[in-house]
DNA sequence: ATGTATTTTCAATTATTATTGAAAATATTG
DNA sequence: CAATATTTTCAATAATAATTGAAAATACAT
């Protein structure tokens, strides 16, 4: 397979993978494109390479910036903004986890806490127990993600794997 | 808040949460309904409680069954099929992880392996390095999920948390 | 300040995904 | 084996989400 072909394929694969996780295809594809690009790209470049509109490119670039997955980079003598991706994939994973935690786990925890305020009764006992069960799970995922964030990659996995062998 | 109201709210919340993770709203809602239901429910019950069509109910019940998140249950003297949900949320988490691993991580690993077959050249070096970086990440997620699956809840989190304090 | 390049916004459109519901298939009963 | 209950399928429809593109806003240079 040729290099350009392989990159194209990767962009496709990453896009599909994204949609399965609630990330829209274009966003995942812009991300993939920047990951496999050796030099920073501007909006025009991205529009061309992915055949998407300016609006679409702009919106997803912004969103990826919010997720801390890509950075602005200026090129001397050019007034356009260029973008490059974080290429350390462990770092990428950590940032995605961090962001989803903030955007989803935390709000979910609040919702669950609200639900426990249901009026007490014989019938509500098992409901509250279930909610508490979920709270426990969520707070565990939460600590796990916190741990993940702080842990150095090598040390973390080394210890995990040793723990259970 | 009243119990029925709280259950309704939970179903809503679980549904929204699902959509953010690539699971369709109805499926998440059927799941939620069964989680908070004290007795097993049949298709009719589910249709009514969620105001969804027979086809929709049937399809999502089947899908939840494939994910091992709900079970068929028969009620003596009734010829309809009834369903109940696994209520141990740790178990639920493990099954979701197991299923997503099988459906997504494994195919992704195959794709990545393919991409490494790109023809060697000066330009392809960094591409292959990136792919290998991703492979490493994926195989780590893979072991982590494997570990998760076998680990007892308490032991697992106890050890994790001790590790990093 | 004026003109030009660049970025952003957002209503309209298109594409995708989910849902319906009636018909077909299957299972169960007497 | 009918008759009936139940489940499944799937083409049509509806709902949702993504995308476009041109206009507005902003940033920059002279």
């Amino acid at each position: 397979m040729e290099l350009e072909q392989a990159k194209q394929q990767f962009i496709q694969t990453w896009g599909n993978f994204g949609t399965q996780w609630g990330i829209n295809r274009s966003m995942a594809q812009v991300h993939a494109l920047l990951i496999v690009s050796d030099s920073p790209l501007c909006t025009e470049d991205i529009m061309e390479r992915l055949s998407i509109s300016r609006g679409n490119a702009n919106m997803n670039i912004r969103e990826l910036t919010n997720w801390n997955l890509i950075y602005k980079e200026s090129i001397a003598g050019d007034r356009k903004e260029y973008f490059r991706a974080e290429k350390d994939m462990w770092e990428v994973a950590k940032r995605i986890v961090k962001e989803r935690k903030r955007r989803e786990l935390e709000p979910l925890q609040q919702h669950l806490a609200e639900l426990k305020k249901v009026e007490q009764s014989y019938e509500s006992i098992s409901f509250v127990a279930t909610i508490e069960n979920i709270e426990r799970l969520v707070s565990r995922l939460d600590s796990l993600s916190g741990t993940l964030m702080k842990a150095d990659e090598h040390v973390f996995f080394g210890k995990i794997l040793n723990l259970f062998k």
Side-chain angles (χ1 to χ4, degrees), chain A:
Chain A
M1 192 173 9
E2 209 191 307
L3 180 59
E4 275 315 304
Q5 218 178 339
K7 288 187 174 181
Q8 203 52 44
Q9 178 97 45
F10 173 72
I11 290 167
Q12 227 43 41
T13 299
W14 204 243
N16 294 337
F17 199 68
T19 56
Q20 296 185 293
W21 288 85
I23 286 151
N24 92 334
R25 179 173 260 101
S26 295
M27 178 167 156
Q29 287 185 341
V30 171
H31 189 208
L33 172 59
L34 288 171
I35 285 173
V36 296
S37 177
D38 293 312
S39 52
L41 302 180
C42 69
T43 305
E44 295 276 343
D45 296 334
I46 291 167
M47 288 166 61
E48 263 183 29
R49 290 287 304 271
L50 300 178
S51 308
I52 63 176
S53 72
R54 185 174 300 284
N56 192 4
N58 182 266
M59 182 175 136
N60 286 303
I61 286 170
R62 175 146 32 86
E63 192 61 1
L64 285 164
T65 305
N66 293 339
W67 282 71
N68 267 300
L69 298 175
I70 66 175
Y71 314 105
K72 282 186 187 173
E73 180 136 314
S74 11
I75 285 192
D78 193 331
R79 125 188 196 185
K80 285 201 288 294
E81 285 179 322
Y82 283 76
F83 302 90
R84 69 185 170 81
E86 170 61 57
K87 295 205 181 188
D88 176 341
M89 297 307 288
W90 177 250
E91 195 54 46
V92 168
K94 284 200 295 184
R95 293 184 190 176
I96 291 172
V97 167
K98 181 178 178 182
E99 205 57 24
R100 295 204 88 145
K101 169 181 162 165
R102 188 177 71 74
R103 295 181 187 212
E104 295 157 23
L105 246 46
E106 287 168 12
L108 179 60
Q109 283 176 320
Q110 302 210 313
H111 276 289
L112 293 173
E114 280 303 313
L115 290 177
K116 281 202 303 183
K117 294 183 186 155
V118 67
E119 59 190 34
Q120 288 194 297
S121 74
Y122 178 70
E123 291 81 20
S124 69
I125 292 176
S126 71
F127 175 73
V128 172
T130 299
I131 296 298
E132 282 171 348
N133 203 222
I134 297 174
E135 277 188 316
R136 214 146 35 235
L137 174 66
V138 172
S139 88
R140 274 158 186 166
L141 293 177
D142 192 66
S143 347
L144 186 57
S145 76
T147 300
L148 213 78
M149 229 87 74
K150 277 172 286 179
D152 169 71
E153 171 179 17
H154 180 68
V155 172
F156 180 68
F157 275 104
K159 285 191 180 174
I160 289 284
L161 295 180
N162 285 336
L163 252 185
F164 293 97
K165 75 182 179 188

